[in-house]
Amino acid sequence: MPKGYWVSVYRTISDPEKLAAYNELAGLAVRPAGGRTLVRGGRVVAHDAGIAERTVLVEFDSFEQAVAAYESAAYQEALVALSDGVERDFRIVEGID
């Protein structure tokens, strides 16, 4: 069964305190849902239209699990804490295998 991934690329971070609150709540939502953070921050080399800002990659055992984690009450609480603190591109994608 193909894995599912959350791919999040931050364009701007306007409120680091909101991001910190989100990070704490998101971790409490992601780990129990089976998510494993593979990339969070770190070095980035961006090409084409890419932006060399914060990038996050979270792996789940399936695409369905990734969608369910996003839709969970716990993660929705994290999104409320984040609110307008960042501008980001967030996608849930299905892996090849």
Side-chain angles (χ1 to χ4, degrees), residues 10 63 87:
Y10 289 70
F63 179 79
E87 179 187 356

Side-chain angles (χ1 to χ4, degrees), residues 33-79:
R36 295 168 298 283
T37 302
L38 303 178
V39 174
R40 184 175 62 205
R43 298 189 310 167
V44 175
V45 175
H47 296 280
D48 300 326
I51 296 172
E53 187 58 75
R54 179 181 175 87
T55 301
V56 179
L57 176 64
V58 179
E59 178 183 64
F60 293 86
D61 289 335
S62 70
F63 179 79
E64 291 76 18
Q65 188 179 16
V67 170
Y70 182 87
E71 294 173 349
S72 72
Y75 188 70
Q76 294 304 304
E77 182 181 347
L79 288 176

